[in-house]
Amino acid sequence: MALEEKDFVLRQTKELAKGLGQFLSDDTLDDLFNDTTQSSDRQNDAKKNKNQQARHDASGKKK
């Protein structure tokens, strides 16, 4: 590989690493994890409500 090609690859890798570092900064990761956790909590709450409603409906039918 020619010296110019190696230099180009190294510069591109360095720019990629800088961009990835900015994207994955501490604040960004905290926001990402908080959003993911909140989404999971909402999904779990929805499942609980659905199960409770199903049990309530089932108990009403038995009477």
Side-chain angles (χ1 to χ4, degrees):
M1 190 182 281
L3 183 60
E4 293 85 14
E5 291 173 341
K6 289 179 183 179
D7 184 52
F8 174 77
V9 170
L10 288 174
R11 279 187 283 121
Q12 293 297 312
T13 304
K14 185 177 178 181
E15 288 181 29
L16 176 68
K18 280 184 182 179
L20 190 58
Q22 288 175 348
F23 177 71
L24 297 176
S25 69
D26 290 339
D27 294 335
T28 306
L29 286 175
D30 287 341
D31 291 343
L32 180 65
F33 288 133
N34 286 337
D35 289 345
T36 303
T37 303
Q38 289 174 356
S39 176
S40 295
D41 289 345
R42 283 192 297 261
Q43 288 176 349
N44 289 338
D45 289 345
K47 286 180 184 178
K48 278 185 195 175
N49 289 339
K50 185 177 178 182
N51 288 339
Q52 287 175 346
Q53 184 64 38
R55 277 187 256 139
H56 177 71
D57 292 345
S59 68
K61 291 179 182 178
K62 290 180 183 177
K63 293 181 181 180

